[in-house]
């Protein structure tokens, strides 16, 4: 699959160029989320409300909902696999406050234990696994975060690696579930 040497051959992509893929993909956009928690500015207020037992602020996730709605209107599908080691407060927040609106609008969200994702990736010879987006099975972007879940940037893989990411995504879907166990 992808070695560290191949990773070093990826190239930085501007957020503007990356963002254009959300408006222009024709058939599918696939996301793998690996981190236990993300430090996303757009979630700060909603996460604080969740922890305090207050309702979600109006407009939470509205930009993402517009993307999901637009994709559904043009017949394109958005899907994501969320890896987890345990059901943390942050994952509960995503499941209770973030994901329901996405699912209602047409996004498919599945869950896979982190150990299973690791096993799948190792079976494919992947020496390391990062969050990624894949659009129309033709382009893959690696998402970079620091150890606190703060977003650092995006890198595009070489097109020769796309078939391996297609296989990885298919195997992760097969290993995943629409529900968290327990």
């Amino acid at each position: 699959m992808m070695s560290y040497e191949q990773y070093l051959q990826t190239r930085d992509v501007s957020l503007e160029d990356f963002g254009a893929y959300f408006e222009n993909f024709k058939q599918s956009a696939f996301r793998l989320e690996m981190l236990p928690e993300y430090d996303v500015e757009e979630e700060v207020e909603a996460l604080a409300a969740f922890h305090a037992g207050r309702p979600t602020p109006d407009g939470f996730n509205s930009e993402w909902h517009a993307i999901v709605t637009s994709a559904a209107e043009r017949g394109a599908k958005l899907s994501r696999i969320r890896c987890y080691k345990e059901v943390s407060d942050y994952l509960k927040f995503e499941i209770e406050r973030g994901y329901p609106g996405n699912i209602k609008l047409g996004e498919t969200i599945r869950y896979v234990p982190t150990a299973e994702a690791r096993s799948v990736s190792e079976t494919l010879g992947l020496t390391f696994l990062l969050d990624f987006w894949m659009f129309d099975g033709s382009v893959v972007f690696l998402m970079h975060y620091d150890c606190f879940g703060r977003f650092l940037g995006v890198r595009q893989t070489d097109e020769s690696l796309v078939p391996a990411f297609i296989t990885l995504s298919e195997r992760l879907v097969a290993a995943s579930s629409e529900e968290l166990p327990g």
Side-chain angles (χ1 to χ4, degrees):
M1 175 100 182
M2 184 167 69
S3 67
Y4 185 68
E5 291 75 24
Q6 289 170 312
Y7 166 76
L8 292 175
Q9 295 172 13
T10 62
R11 63 180 182 86
D12 285 326
V13 175
S14 73
L15 292 181
E16 183 178 323
D17 289 347
F18 172 64
Y21 280 86
F22 289 98
E23 298 171 14
N24 299 317
F25 73 94
K26 305 286 185 232
Q27 298 171 344
S28 64
F30 175 86
R31 165 85 159 131
L32 177 65
E33 292 182 317
M34 297 289 303
L35 297 179
E37 187 170 333
Y38 295 87
D39 185 357
V40 181
E41 186 176 326
E42 295 81 10
E43 292 180 344
V44 170
E45 188 179 351
L47 186 58
F50 174 75
H51 285 137
R54 296 189 315 264
T56 304
D58 289 340
F60 172 63
N61 238 1
S62 60
E63 288 181 29
W64 182 248
H65 290 167
I67 290 170
V68 176
T69 299
S70 175
E73 287 172 351
R74 64 181 186 268
K77 301 201 181 308
L78 278 153
S79 63
R80 131 186 8 224
I81 292 193
R82 181 67 167 95
C83 295
Y84 67 95
K85 191 172 188 175
E86 61 184 32
V87 182
S88 65
D89 283 343
Y90 182 80
L91 185 55
K92 288 177 187 174
F93 161 72
E94 287 184 311
I95 292 167
E96 292 177 24
R97 304 280 179 102
Y99 293 162
N102 303 0
I103 293 167
K104 183 178 179 183
L105 294 171
E107 182 178 358
T108 301
I109 300 174
R110 300 179 64 85
Y111 305 92
V112 67
T114 301
E116 184 68 22
R118 181 179 182 170
S119 175
V120 168
S121 67
E122 288 175 350
T123 299
L124 295 172
L126 181 63
T127 57
F128 64 97
L129 189 56
L130 297 171
D131 284 39
F132 70 89
W133 274 102
M134 180 170 49
F135 295 94
D136 292 329
S138 63
V139 62
V140 175
F141 295 96
L142 303 176
M143 309 302 293
H144 288 276
Y145 298 89
D146 68 12
C147 63
F148 303 107
R150 292 179 294 213
F151 180 69
L152 300 175
V154 182
R155 294 183 67 87
Q156 185 174 348
T157 67
D158 183 88
E159 65 185 45
S160 67
L161 294 173
V162 171
F165 278 93
I166 291 171
T167 301
L168 173 64
S169 64
E170 289 170 348
R171 291 193 185 171
L172 287 173
V173 167
S176 68
S177 170
E178 290 184 10
E179 301 289 327
L180 283 170

